[in-house]
Amino acid sequence: MTSKVRCLLSENGLLGVGVDRLRRLGISLLLGLAILVGGLPLWGQAPSTPRVGPDPPGMISTTDARIDPGGPTPMAAQTQPKAGEYVVSQEDVLEVIVFDVPELSRDYRVNGSGTIIMPLVAGPIPVAGLTLEQLGARVSERLRTAGLVTNPQVTVNVKESRAHAISIVGAVRLPQSIRVLGRTTFLDVVSQAGGVAEDVGTTAIITRGEMAMRALGSVPGSENAGSGPAVAPTVTVDLKRLMETGDASLNPYVYPGDRVTVLRAGVIYVVGAVNRPGGFTLKSEYEEMTVLKALALADNAKSTAKQDKAMILRKNLQKPGGREEIPVQLSRIMANRAPDLPLYANDILFVPDSTGKKALRRAAEAAVNLGSGMVLYRRY
């Protein structure tokens, strides 16, 4: 009899670390009797004091979910998640603890269909879209219905979450997806991404995800729905003012599922025979930059510059090599005999030295290859 029960336990993944443990817990005898008579509970639980103390770091947990002896609570009667409550998603890793039943207490990953599978429980358990408290109640209900536990006490913790993450891209040092289990602030997200890059602009955009829209009241049925003005799907952050003043009102909350895009400043490059070659950021996307303005930022051309051979190197995928070369007659522009040509983000103004034609071509190629690696001068 004992060997048969042990075999069943092993097939269902419930066998512990050894026979001594099974004997100590008395599980093998109870399980064998339940299998023989059929319909008897496999485990019995007396009410016990729930686990006391703080949850492990990095986890969110429910209170113990118990089923009233009078019958399970219908899941349809459960309320919508409150603002800020954690909602289970696909690919989450959940720690489910069934008190006094270590064979069922383990980590479960929510699969692509939004369900988990527990040993000896018939069929998958739908969990996606539930709060942790609702999930604990559902697991308790299934255990009780299956006759496995008479009075289930279930605690659920979140160990990993792929869906509950904040993506940050753009002008930051370490673009990445940051895992969070609750709301945080814009500056906290930027800090975890290594801070802003050298070519950062003055604006960032937060694109709201489902959790943010629910928490802020834009999802029908949420706690704050209709209680205030409509929530915009995007939020614009004045990065320049936030960095200069530290005003908390300019530092919005960011929720799991949001996407943060830190816009890059437009940069124009001035290279060659100028006194201060390098890249110069545009103050805003609306700033108009011209050849003369760029030349002034570069402290003018050197005395050896061949001004009539200057050119603008501009990206153009329709041109051979992916760029076009626009001739610039600096001497005529400076004498107001030719129009001052506009420059756009990522343009390179190349001012050659007084060298031969072959050397001039090599210098132009070098300007294209090294333009993005030049010293970057921020303008405020």
Side-chain angles (χ1 to χ4, degrees):
M1 177 65 67
T2 301
S3 61
K4 181 178 180 180
V5 173
R6 291 183 61 202
C7 180
L8 181 60
L9 283 170
S10 178
E11 291 176 355
N12 287 279
L14 299 178
L15 190 59
V17 296
V19 176
D20 291 339
R21 181 183 174 190
L22 292 177
R23 288 176 178 172
R24 184 171 60 254
L25 296 176
I27 293 178
S28 58
L29 179 58
L30 292 176
L31 180 58
L33 293 174
I35 294 172
L36 291 175
V37 300
L40 291 179
L42 298 184
W43 289 278
Q45 286 188 318
S48 178
T49 303
R51 182 179 64 184
V52 178
D55 295 321
M59 291 186 178
I60 294 181
S61 67
T62 67
T63 57
D64 292 336
R66 305 185 185 184
I67 298 298
D68 186 271
T73 302
M75 295 305 297
Q78 293 178 341
T79 59
Q80 292 287 337
K82 297 179 181 179
E85 276 193 296
Y86 188 88
V87 178
V88 175
S89 298
Q90 298 174 356
E91 303 302 324
D92 282 0
V93 177
L94 307 172
E95 180 189 36
V96 178
I97 301 173
V98 184
F99 182 77
D100 206 28
V101 187
E103 289 74 18
L104 295 176
S105 301
R106 61 179 66 178
D107 294 346
Y108 297 89
R109 182 180 292 277
V110 183
N111 58 31
S113 60
T115 63
I116 61 174
I117 298 176
M118 298 186 70
L120 298 183
V121 175
I125 304 176
V127 297
L130 301 179
T131 66
L132 298 182
E133 185 175 359
Q134 291 171 345
L135 191 154
R138 175 162 291 181
V139 170
S140 298
E141 178 183 342
R142 294 293 291 269
L143 293 177
R144 184 174 184 273
T145 302
L148 299 177
V149 187
T150 56
N151 187 24
Q153 300 176 41
V154 179
T155 301
V156 182
N157 302 314
V158 179
K159 296 192 70 174
E160 296 180 15
S161 178
R162 295 182 181 179
H164 295 273
I166 297 171
S167 299
I168 179 167
V169 296
V172 292
R173 298 185 185 277
L174 300 171
Q176 60 183 290
S177 181
I178 302 171
R179 294 182 182 179
V180 293
L181 298 181
R183 73 179 185 182
T184 183
T185 65
F186 168 79
L187 284 182
D188 286 339
V189 174
V190 172
S191 176
Q192 292 187 58
V196 296
E198 291 183 351
D199 59 344
V200 64
T202 60
T203 305
I205 305 295
I206 301 173
T207 304
R208 293 301 191 190
E210 181 181 351
M211 182 174 290
M213 300 299 284
R214 182 180 296 277
L216 298 173
S218 285
V219 175
S222 61
E223 184 181 38
N224 297 326
S227 61
V231 179
T234 61
V235 176
T236 301
V237 180
D238 190 336
L239 192 56
K240 184 173 184 292
R241 284 185 59 200
L242 176 59
M243 293 297 189
E244 289 177 351
T245 65
D247 187 349
S249 65
L250 302 175
N251 185 24
Y253 283 115
V254 185
Y255 293 80
D258 286 357
R259 179 182 178 88
V260 178
T261 304
V262 181
L263 301 183
R264 298 183 184 277
V267 180
I268 56 96
Y269 301 91
V270 184
V271 297
V274 293
N275 293 309
R276 192 173 69 150
F280 301 90
T281 61
L282 301 175
K283 292 182 178 180
S284 73
E285 57 183 316
Y286 307 107
E287 181 181 10
E288 295 181 358
M289 181 62 63
T290 65
V291 168
L292 287 183
K293 289 181 180 179
L295 198 61
L297 292 174
D299 284 347
N300 215 337
K302 292 182 178 180
S303 58
T304 57
K306 201 165 186 177
Q307 297 186 6
D308 289 339
K309 296 295 183 180
M311 66 180 71
I312 298 171
L313 306 176
R314 179 171 295 160
K315 289 183 179 180
N316 189 338
L317 299 179
Q318 297 179 351
K319 297 291 183 179
R323 72 174 188 273
E324 62 178 322
E325 299 176 357
I326 304 173
V328 177
Q329 296 182 336
L330 275 180
S331 58
R332 291 179 59 83
I333 293 176
M334 296 177 70
N336 202 22
R337 296 178 181 176
D340 190 5
L341 300 179
L343 293 175
Y344 304 104
N346 299 316
D347 278 358
I348 300 174
L349 175 60
F350 172 58
V351 183
D353 209 334
S354 299
T355 55
K357 184 175 182 181
K358 185 175 182 180
L360 177 66
R361 177 60 55 188
R362 288 200 303 267
E365 295 291 340
V368 172
N369 295 330
L370 299 178
S372 59
M374 299 292 292
V375 176
L376 190 64
Y377 298 99
R378 291 199 58 79
R379 300 166 57 236
Y380 298 98

